[in-house]
Amino acid sequence: MSDFLYFKLKKNEKLKKKAFLGSWINNFLNKKENLQSVFVNYESYENYNKQEIEIKKVKKFSKKILIQLSKKLNNLNNINWNFKSWNYILMPFLETYVAIIFDRIEMAKAIKKNPKIDTKAIYQLGKNSLLISNDYKDFTSNISEVTWNKKLVSKIYYLLQNKKSLNNLDLFYKKKIKKKFYKKKNIIYSIKNSFLKIFERILCGRDKFFFYLGFGNIFSFIYLNLKLRQFPFFYAYKFINEFVAKYNANLKVRRNLKINFHQLDFEEKIVCKLLPEIFPTIYLEGLKKQISLVDKSFLPKNKKIIITKPILKDNLFKFWTANNLSNGSKIVFIQHGSGYGYKRCFQNEDYEIDISHKFLSWGWKKNKKVIPLGNFSLSHKKKFPIQQKKCLLIILGLRNFFKIQNNLFSHNDALEQINDINYLLSNIDYNHFEKVTVKDHPTSLKKTSLKIPNTDKNKVVFEKLDKNLNELYNDYSLVITTYDSTEFYNLIARDKPCLQILSKKLIKKKYMSRFKEMYKYGILHDNAKSLIKQLQKIQNNPYKWWNKRFLSTKRKVFCNYFIKTDINSAMFLKTLTNIKL
């Protein structure tokens, strides 16, 4: 039950003990727990068309906040970053933040309406809780965590009960911050940085192009640099890519983050009220230090055309890029992951295309910014070898019952995913396979939500969460993914028999025709029942089915649009050289 959000009931509710947010949670409780629980439903926009309107509203309001916030941050730090720099560094956090607060407001409203809940305890928790984060990764970790969400919902409830407090900034500052962020001097970092700085300045001083991450193999990286007549200097070292500094919160500084608009509805006022408390320290108290670290780093001083996959981690490269965008640099993003080009209301895609000068897709085309180049990471990789043994690998997806991005989200869909996984695991003919391996998502809920049938323990293996999937594929004749997975595109592009559960509701209508054949011939499935039927047909010889001429043709057409591996280097080089600084 620690996976779900609940609150205590009043003492006079003798038979009941807890109030859970969402009736769908009863699917995960036993009979006794169900009898002892109250289930509080709230508006969660199960209707996707209605959600799409809300998502657009969030995007618009986020941009509105950023316009004012960027000016305040420039003044506080005595810098002159342009809007594009602030949009690049803050929008992933800001859009997610606004979407999360709007969603949790609906939870708090539902609690307020329920007379059985012990609201005094919620009121006190909301009044005394602190919600500060250090960076974007810390924030996204928090919004997936039950305890933090309980504090957030409680704080919003406190604001609902004290509407007058929306006009001042006292709530957060009545309590001192006990949690401190402290960065020790990293001697190893300093030595490595100084060493690389010497060579970078000598070898790359006149280079126009800056390659960071997203190429997948060293051959593409060297080839492209040489073609552009520059030294292939590698910048994405782990010591700088993983380096995220931590900073103490300064209460006096945070008072300056108050956002003022003449006309706001009540929900928007709550969003603005909580921003100074939740805003990550690395963007405020740590910004001057981050810029100082960038200036002292081996990263180049002059403006560049930056080519990289999107970086969400708040490392030095991200701050270097933001600084350079204000100095005239251009950024070219390389697609990284599934969902792009076909998914309804996909936050990452919208943000990355908006920020970039050009966006290099895996094959799909959207507008003039998007170049259908292909996947660099797979361009030099061979097809997977045929595996004669009957071995099955099942890759499970992230199962999250909190809205964690400004994307389409439904508790019913999350529940459907759990049910699909359990149906799949319960209906596989384990005796037919020599080995069945289940690889769970590293950040998913505990295995208690999965129902593994009684079977030969030697035939079902739960792989380690941190195991690299590419080290597993050669050992299996068939792979199943239960969600919209990047791994599915890796598999289908490299000719490994695979099946995937992908809800048709997530696909844009105008692109459904491109997926139609994949559903028709049994590669993609809307649910687990359909997938099991297909599995029973092909499990004797997956390769015989996979290599049928008509299916091979359909796969090639699909891959040519969504996961091309034959990179047109000439087109890529022309795209880069046509960009003017």
Side-chain angles (χ1 to χ4, degrees):
M1 288 193 294
S2 60
D3 291 327
F4 308 114
L5 191 58
Y6 68 87
F7 295 90
K8 292 181 180 179
L9 296 171
K10 291 179 179 177
K11 292 181 180 180
N12 58 0
E13 297 291 331
K14 296 180 180 179
L15 297 177
K16 306 289 185 179
K17 293 184 178 180
K18 295 178 180 178
F20 288 93
L21 277 173
S23 59
W24 49 270
I25 294 174
N26 62 22
N27 292 274
F28 301 97
L29 306 181
N30 58 42
K31 289 182 179 179
K32 184 179 179 181
E33 289 168 337
N34 264 299
L35 290 172
Q36 293 178 342
S37 303
V38 171
F39 300 96
V40 182
N41 287 318
Y42 66 97
E43 176 61 76
S44 55
Y45 302 105
E46 299 295 339
N47 184 308
Y48 273 7
N49 292 328
K50 189 176 179 181
Q51 265 198 79
E52 285 180 322
I53 296 171
E54 185 71 12
I55 286 170
K56 289 177 182 177
K57 175 186 173 183
V58 167
K59 288 181 183 294
K60 186 177 180 180
F61 190 51
S62 301
K63 280 283 177 78
K64 187 177 178 180
I65 293 174
L66 185 59
I67 290 170
Q68 194 173 135
L69 187 61
S70 60
K71 294 176 183 178
K72 289 180 178 292
L73 291 169
N74 272 336
N75 291 333
L76 284 169
N77 293 282
N78 296 317
I79 58 175
N80 192 29
W81 279 6
N82 60 27
F83 184 79
K84 190 160 192 173
S85 292
W86 288 114
N87 195 14
Y88 165 74
I89 205 161
L90 288 184
M91 190 50 71
F93 159 75
L94 199 56
E95 186 177 336
T96 303
Y97 164 77
V98 174
I100 297 316
I101 299 301
F102 279 156
D103 179 73
R104 306 312 191 257
I105 287 172
E106 299 303 325
M107 293 183 183
K109 285 181 177 178
I111 292 171
K112 187 180 177 183
K113 291 177 183 178
N114 194 300
K116 297 181 179 180
I117 298 176
D118 182 5
T119 52
K120 288 183 179 180
I122 298 173
Y123 185 93
Q124 288 301 316
L125 180 63
K127 184 179 179 181
N128 299 316
S129 294
L130 293 173
L131 301 168
I132 196 165
S133 301
N134 181 66
D135 52 70
Y136 182 64
K137 184 179 179 181
D138 189 26
F139 170 71
T140 54
S141 176
N142 284 335
I143 61 178
S144 304
E145 201 265 330
V146 172
T147 303
W148 192 90
N149 275 283
K150 191 170 185 176
K151 291 177 180 179
L152 175 58
V153 173
S154 299
K155 190 168 285 285
I156 294 171
Y157 174 83
Y158 176 88
L159 293 174
L160 291 173
Q161 295 293 88
N162 295 270
K163 294 184 179 181
K164 290 182 180 180
S165 65
L166 288 174
N167 298 320
N168 60 66
L169 222 64
D170 291 338
L171 174 66
F172 171 62
Y173 305 109
K174 284 183 178 179
K175 185 177 176 66
K176 292 182 179 180
I177 296 178
K178 293 181 180 179
K179 184 178 180 181
K180 287 189 175 182
F181 299 115
Y182 179 72
K183 184 184 77 68
K184 293 182 178 179
K185 186 174 181 181
N186 194 322
I187 298 175
I188 296 176
Y189 167 83
S190 299
I191 293 171
K192 288 181 177 179
N193 181 68
S194 299
F195 179 78
L196 288 168
K197 191 173 183 177
I198 296 169
F199 285 94
E200 198 280 336
R201 299 296 187 265
I202 295 171
L203 298 172
C204 310
R206 296 183 180 181
D207 289 353
K208 180 181 177 182
F209 303 95
F210 179 97
F211 294 92
Y212 196 63
L213 288 174
F215 299 93
N217 62 77
I218 193 67
F219 302 106
S220 295
F221 175 75
I222 294 174
Y223 172 80
L224 292 170
N225 274 282
L226 294 178
K227 277 289 184 180
L228 292 166
R229 298 181 179 180
Q230 60 182 41
F231 186 82
F233 192 88
F234 185 74
Y235 289 95
Y237 291 97
K238 189 174 181 179
F239 83 95
I240 196 166
N241 193 41
E242 299 296 322
F243 182 72
V244 178
K246 294 186 177 182
Y247 299 95
N248 293 312
N250 186 318
L251 307 187
K252 291 181 180 179
V253 172
R254 289 183 171 260
R255 288 193 176 93
N256 295 304
L257 283 189
K258 187 176 182 180
I259 305 296
N260 297 307
F261 294 113
H262 294 299
Q263 293 182 331
L264 290 178
D265 61 33
F266 185 66
E267 286 77 12
E268 290 171 337
K269 286 182 180 179
I270 291 177
V271 170
C272 294
K273 170 72 177 181
L274 291 175
L275 183 61
E277 177 173 345
I278 298 177
F279 197 68
T281 56
I282 201 167
Y283 303 141
L284 183 59
E285 291 88 352
L287 187 62
K288 282 185 179 180
K289 182 63 176 177
Q290 289 297 111
I291 294 173
S292 174
L293 287 169
V294 165
D295 289 339
K296 295 174 183 177
S297 75
F298 71 92
L299 298 170
K301 295 284 186 184
N302 52 329
K303 61 184 178 181
K304 302 278 187 178
I305 294 170
I306 305 161
I307 307 101
T308 182
K309 71 176 184 179
I311 305 293
L312 293 177
K313 183 180 291 185
D314 291 311
N315 56 22
L316 285 185
F317 168 76
K318 188 175 178 181
F319 285 87
W320 174 83
T321 302
N323 199 43
N324 273 36
L325 288 176
S326 286
N327 293 331
S329 290
K330 303 286 178 66
I331 190 164
V332 177
F333 274 142
I334 300 170
Q335 180 181 338
H336 180 71
S338 61
Y340 292 81
Y342 60 86
K343 201 171 183 178
R344 291 171 67 183
C345 297
F346 190 28
Q347 180 182 337
N348 289 0
E349 179 185 327
D350 295 341
Y351 159 73
E352 290 159 24
I353 292 176
D354 181 40
I355 291 297
S356 61
H357 186 75
K358 294 292 181 182
F359 183 91
L360 308 179
S361 80
W362 287 353
W364 52 275
K365 180 76 175 171
K366 185 176 185 178
N367 53 37
K368 290 182 179 180
K369 270 192 178 185
V370 179
I371 309 298
L373 186 68
N375 187 306
F376 274 107
S377 299
L378 301 180
S379 61
H380 286 81
K381 289 188 177 180
K382 297 179 181 179
K383 292 182 179 181
F384 288 111
I386 294 174
Q387 173 55 257
Q388 298 295 343
K389 293 181 179 180
K390 294 179 181 179
C391 298
L392 176 65
L393 174 62
I394 304 168
I395 304 172
L396 307 184
L398 176 65
R399 302 179 295 283
N400 201 316
F401 291 112
F402 290 117
K403 185 179 179 71
I404 58 172
Q405 272 191 308
N406 192 30
N407 293 333
L408 296 173
F409 175 79
S410 165
H411 292 115
N412 287 338
D413 288 346
L415 183 59
E416 265 182 38
Q417 187 186 17
I418 294 288
N419 291 337
D420 273 337
I421 291 171
N422 285 328
Y423 183 89
L424 176 67
L425 296 176
S426 300
N427 287 276
I428 289 171
D429 183 1
Y430 289 92
N431 292 323
H432 182 84
F433 296 95
E434 294 182 39
K435 181 171 70 171
V436 176
T437 298
V438 177
K439 172 68 170 63
D440 205 353
H441 196 283
T443 57
S444 280
L445 296 175
K446 300 180 181 69
K447 294 191 188 78
T448 50
S449 60
L450 303 179
K451 300 172 184 176
I452 309 299
N454 293 324
T455 185
D456 186 348
K457 292 182 180 180
N458 293 324
K459 291 200 172 180
V460 183
V461 178
F462 265 94
E463 190 56 76
K464 293 179 180 178
L465 295 181
D466 58 352
K467 182 72 173 181
N468 190 324
L469 282 166
N470 285 312
E471 297 175 4
L472 295 175
Y473 290 140
N474 289 344
D475 297 331
Y476 296 88
S477 54
L478 182 63
V479 182
I480 295 173
T481 57
T482 64
Y483 66 110
D484 185 18
S485 171
T486 301
E487 292 305 320
F488 169 77
Y489 292 90
N490 179 19
L491 294 163
I492 195 171
R494 295 177 64 192
D495 216 18
K496 169 69 73 173
C498 56
L499 306 172
Q500 175 168 263
I501 298 174
L502 176 62
S503 174
K504 293 177 182 178
K505 293 184 292 184
L506 295 174
I507 302 171
K508 294 175 183 175
K509 287 184 179 179
K510 64 179 179 179
Y511 293 121
M512 195 61 217
S513 59
R514 295 187 179 275
F515 284 82
K516 189 176 180 181
E517 301 295 325
M518 295 294 99
Y519 284 101
K520 181 179 178 180
Y521 294 108
I523 294 177
L524 293 178
H525 299 268
D526 203 32
N527 53 59
K529 290 183 179 179
S530 169
L531 190 146
I532 283 292
K533 287 180 181 179
Q534 179 67 9
L535 178 62
Q536 291 170 347
K537 291 178 184 177
I538 68 171
Q539 61 188 12
N540 283 330
N541 192 343
Y543 288 98
K544 183 179 180 181
W545 159 73
W546 188 256
N547 292 321
K548 286 181 179 179
R549 183 178 297 178
F550 73 89
L551 187 58
S552 180
T553 302
K554 299 297 181 184
R555 288 201 321 272
K556 287 178 181 177
V557 172
F558 180 82
C559 288
N560 195 49
Y561 195 78
F562 290 110
I563 186 71
K564 282 169 55 177
T565 56
D566 53 331
I567 301 295
N568 187 336
S569 297
M571 181 180 71
F572 177 47
L573 291 168
K574 185 178 179 181
T575 299
L576 293 183
T577 53
N578 284 341
I579 298 174
K580 295 180 180 180
L581 288 172

